Amino acid sequence: MRCANCGNELKEGSLYCDACGRPVQIVPDYNEFDDYLDNLVGNDDRRTDERKTVRPVSDKTVRFDEPVRQQLQSATQRTRQNQDRSSQSERQQARQTQTKQAQERQAQPKIQQTQTKQPCEKPQSDGQKAKRAQQKKIIIISAVVCVIAIIILVAAVVRNVGRSHDNSFDYQVKQAKEAYAAGDINSAVSYYEKALSIDSDNTDVRFALADIYMSKKDYDAALVLYQEIINTDSKSEEAYKKLISIYESKRDYDAIVALRDSAKDESILKLFADYTVSEPKLSKSSGKYGEAIELTITADSGTKIYYSYDSDNPLTRGERYYNPITLDKEGTYEITAVAVDDRGIKSEVASARYEIEFEAPKAPEVDPDGGTFGAQTDITITAPENCKVYYTWDSSDPSAASTEYTAPIPVPEGNNVLSVIAIDQNTGKCSDIYKSRFEFYMN
């Protein structure tokens, strides 16, 4: 703190200036907020001649109440009395010191000080002081409450805006795109997932999220999203293409076939043209045959064919097809066949049912067809195709153990019954037995 008269630095606790001898002017610290509160509560005690004066406060100016002021005045009077008792030489020395210090101050930047008269204050009663204090307290509390209310209001607005954003599909998508553009992949994923929680059927968001997973090589997560897209939109060619691409990279052709089998739309099925093996073809259609048949099986070039006589799974329980199959025994056959390419992609299983029941050959033709003869006569027998003919003359039924017909036979003398049968050499079937009476007597 400096002397208000000469500017000399004052020692702490000094009541007068060591340089000029002037008493230290001490008033309470000026507080503009106190004046503002005094104006609010209507305090006009600090007035002089009906005009309020406010003392601008310089460096260390302090303001006290009346009791302190009286003590200050007493100390000042004592100081003055001590100065009067001082010798003339000491006062002269003090004035020289003062002159020297004044010259030094002129060489330094001027310190501007503005002083006004200390306002006169009327004494206040304890009740007035308590009332003022209470009024100030109310104003301060009200101000604090207002500030708190504003803070709460701002927080509520921010919270409501945040909730509004949390429930906004467009906002989440926008934030996801901005985060992805900024390279913040994790935040982009989080925003897209929030968007899906709002609109779970949105396929565009699933595509965007799946693309992110694909870029991160998280194929399993991308597969789930593409499958969900197909479940929502069964005609999404883009989702099918993405799934085929992923399965192809994994060489999971069974999954591609399963995906193909789940597709119903014709335009989607065309996407699997390179992952489809045609069903094998059998040379004869299902049916009943009266003779032995030979089957050939064909399939796409570069495929292997497997077949079975009695199984619905020829790949595991059948045998490899190389040559035509002959069905030369009576009975029923269930033929199944499948084709497999080098990737292990299988065709649909082809199947056919064949019932083989051979037809009996026709009865042989005999010439002459019985009768009475007076001269030697030869009998000619014509056998059906693939058949051998056997005969007897004693009316017994012929069999393969009987006499085989190889050339015309003469009619024996007497009254005889010729019995003839034809046996198919391929099927073993027998014709009906031919019987006729032949009589031959020599004249």
Side-chain angles (χ1 to χ4, degrees):
M1 185 172 69
R2 296 181 178 274
C3 176
N5 180 50
C6 66
N8 181 47
E9 183 71 29
L10 298 175
K11 296 180 180 179
E12 185 176 357
S14 298
L15 298 178
Y16 62 91
C17 179
D18 294 335
C20 65
R22 287 287 186 91
V24 178
Q25 186 175 6
I26 303 177
V27 296
D29 285 338
Y30 175 68
N31 190 329
E32 293 183 0
F33 186 65
D34 284 339
D35 280 343
Y36 174 72
L37 292 178
D38 286 340
N39 290 334
L40 288 178
V41 301
N43 179 37
D44 56 357
D45 292 338
R46 283 186 275 173
R47 293 181 180 272
T48 303
D49 297 332
E50 298 181 353
R51 182 177 63 187
K52 183 176 180 181
T53 60
V54 180
R55 173 184 174 85
V57 181
S58 60
D59 286 343
K60 291 284 185 172
T61 307
V62 183
R63 183 171 66 237
F64 291 103
D65 293 335
E66 187 64 26
V68 178
R69 187 180 297 109
Q70 291 175 359
Q71 294 177 7
L72 178 60
Q73 290 174 354
S74 298
T76 302
Q77 291 174 1
R78 288 194 298 270
T79 301
R80 287 177 179 175
Q81 289 173 3
N82 291 335
Q83 287 178 342
D84 291 339
R85 288 193 295 267
S86 299
S87 65
Q88 184 66 28
S89 60
E90 291 175 349
R91 288 197 298 271
Q92 182 66 30
Q93 184 179 358
R95 284 195 295 271
Q96 292 175 354
T97 303
Q98 179 182 356
T99 302
K100 182 179 180 180
Q101 291 177 346
Q103 292 175 350
E104 292 175 353
R105 287 196 303 275
Q106 288 177 355
Q108 297 176 352
K110 219 171 197 183
I111 301 175
Q112 297 181 353
Q113 298 180 350
T114 304
Q115 296 182 348
T116 59
K117 292 183 180 180
Q118 182 176 357
C120 296
E121 298 181 357
K122 292 181 181 181
Q124 294 182 346
S125 64
D126 292 339
Q128 290 175 330
K129 293 179 179 179
K131 183 178 180 181
R132 282 186 60 206
Q134 182 65 23
Q135 290 173 334
K136 290 182 179 180
K137 183 177 181 181
I138 292 173
I139 292 173
I140 293 173
I141 292 175
S142 299
V144 172
V145 170
C146 289
V147 172
I148 294 175
I150 292 172
I151 293 174
I152 293 175
L153 179 61
V154 171
V157 171
V158 172
R159 184 171 62 253
N160 289 334
V161 171
R163 289 178 179 175
S164 176
H165 287 167
D166 287 342
N167 295 324
S168 172
F169 174 84
D170 293 337
Y171 174 80
Q172 299 297 336
V173 172
K174 178 182 177 183
Q175 292 296 107
K177 291 180 178 179
E178 291 178 355
Y180 184 77
D184 189 355
I185 304 301
N186 291 333
S187 294
V189 170
S190 178
Y191 282 121
Y192 276 132
E193 288 177 346
K194 287 181 181 178
L196 280 179
S197 68
I198 297 171
D199 184 2
S200 59
D201 293 333
N202 191 282
T203 57
D204 291 337
V205 171
R206 279 191 168 83
F207 271 120
L209 192 54
D211 288 343
I212 291 177
Y213 285 132
M214 288 290 287
S215 66
K216 296 172 63 177
K217 300 187 184 303
D218 189 352
Y219 298 124
D220 291 337
L223 279 172
V224 172
L225 289 166
Y226 289 132
Q227 188 62 58
E228 289 175 351
I229 293 172
I230 290 174
N231 294 339
T232 302
D233 181 9
S234 61
K235 296 183 179 181
S236 176
E237 292 188 15
E238 185 64 22
Y240 274 102
K241 289 179 180 178
K242 294 289 187 180
L243 284 173
I244 292 173
S245 175
I246 294 174
Y247 289 137
E248 175 67 43
S249 66
K250 293 184 173 184
R251 299 188 180 277
D252 190 352
Y253 297 109
D254 288 340
I256 294 178
V257 171
L259 185 64
R260 179 200 66 195
D261 293 342
S262 68
K264 305 299 181 184
D265 189 80
E266 289 296 328
S267 61
I268 298 299
L269 290 173
K270 292 179 181 178
L271 300 176
F272 296 92
D274 294 335
Y275 302 93
T276 302
V277 175
S278 300
E279 181 180 306
K281 294 181 180 180
L282 282 72
S283 60
K284 292 186 179 293
S285 59
S286 298
K288 186 175 182 179
Y289 292 85
E291 58 185 359
I293 60 174
E294 186 177 83
L295 289 177
T296 57
I297 305 174
T298 57
D300 292 344
S301 176
T303 61
K304 298 175 183 178
I305 301 173
Y306 295 85
Y307 74 97
S308 172
Y309 288 100
D310 54 3
S311 173
D312 57 358
N313 192 348
L315 185 62
T316 58
R317 300 183 62 182
E319 55 185 286
R320 177 81 179 272
Y321 174 83
Y322 293 102
N323 298 308
I325 305 168
T326 300
L327 306 181
D328 56 358
K329 293 182 172 56
E330 285 191 314
T332 301
Y333 300 86
E334 292 282 353
I335 304 299
T336 57
V338 66
V340 185
D341 68 6
D342 293 338
R343 298 170 296 182
I345 297 178
K346 302 181 291 293
S347 70
E348 295 290 333
V349 175
S351 63
R353 178 186 177 91
Y354 302 99
E355 183 177 353
I356 306 299
E357 184 177 350
F358 299 134
E359 295 180 357
K362 294 180 180 181
E365 294 182 0
V366 179
D367 184 32
D369 185 16
T372 301
F373 302 93
Q376 182 64 51
T377 303
D378 291 335
I379 301 173
T380 302
I381 302 174
T382 303
E385 185 179 3
N386 297 323
C387 291
K388 288 185 178 183
V389 174
Y390 300 90
Y391 67 93
T392 62
W393 281 104
D394 58 1
S395 299
S396 63
D397 293 339
S399 66
S402 302
T403 303
E404 181 181 359
Y405 173 83
T406 58
I409 56 176
V411 176
E413 188 175 1
N415 186 0
N416 300 287
V417 175
L418 176 63
S419 300
V420 181
I421 192 171
I423 300 177
D424 192 315
Q425 298 301 297
N426 293 330
T427 66
K429 285 284 188 176
C430 298
S431 68
D432 291 336
I433 297 175
Y434 167 88
K435 287 183 179 290
S436 184
R437 183 178 293 278
F438 287 83
E439 292 181 18
F440 173 52
Y441 298 100
M442 293 292 292
N443 292 330

